[in-house]
Amino acid sequence: MLRLVSLAPQVGIPPSFPVGEMPQYYSTAVENTSALVRHVACTLHGMATAYYPTVDNDTCIGDKECYEVCPKSVFDWDEDNAKPVVARPDDCVEGCVECAKACPVEAITLPA
């Protein structure tokens, strides 16, 4: 259980939040957890890690730059939280950095 708690920021849930606010993080957490599980599975089996963006929701200012610039429509837009969601990580093109370059606050990271 401790390991899952330490992964909370990676799947879009801040380390601490009021219990009543959990639903606002749920959709982002579900989408990001799917990508994280694929990454862990690839790592454990010695396979190449999938190439997809990760959004730091605490840093993101919700300007839609990543959403609008992505040539493969990897992102969906979460209207309730005004944040991008990595909805189609498998569609991301390895080596593409357009979303990260477009983000004015560097809230998007990509695998090295």
Side-chain angles (χ1 to χ4, degrees):
M1 187 65 158
L2 180 58
R3 180 71 177 139
L4 292 176
V5 170
S6 69
L7 292 175
Q10 294 178 27
V11 297
I13 301 173
S16 62
F17 54 89
V19 175
E21 292 183 17
M22 182 59 184
Q24 95 180 49
Y25 299 109
Y26 182 74
S27 65
T28 301
V30 169
E31 295 294 336
N32 291 343
T33 299
S34 175
L36 183 61
V37 167
R38 272 195 305 280
H39 171 74
V40 170
C42 287
T43 301
L44 290 174
H45 294 288
M47 298 165 51
T49 302
Y51 187 88
Y52 58 87
T54 302
V55 179
D56 179 345
N57 286 324
D58 292 332
T59 303
C60 178
I61 59 173
D63 62 358
K64 286 193 174 183
E65 292 295 321
C66 58
Y67 174 78
E68 292 172 354
V69 75
C70 180
K72 292 295 191 172
S73 300
V74 169
F75 299 97
D76 277 347
W77 190 255
D78 180 349
E79 292 291 339
D80 294 336
N81 297 307
K83 304 285 181 187
V85 176
V86 180
R88 289 166 291 285
D90 294 334
D91 290 349
C92 189
V93 176
E94 188 166 351
C96 182
V97 295
E98 294 304 311
C99 59
K101 285 186 351 187
C103 182
V105 294
E106 298 180 356
I108 298 178
T109 56
L110 292 155

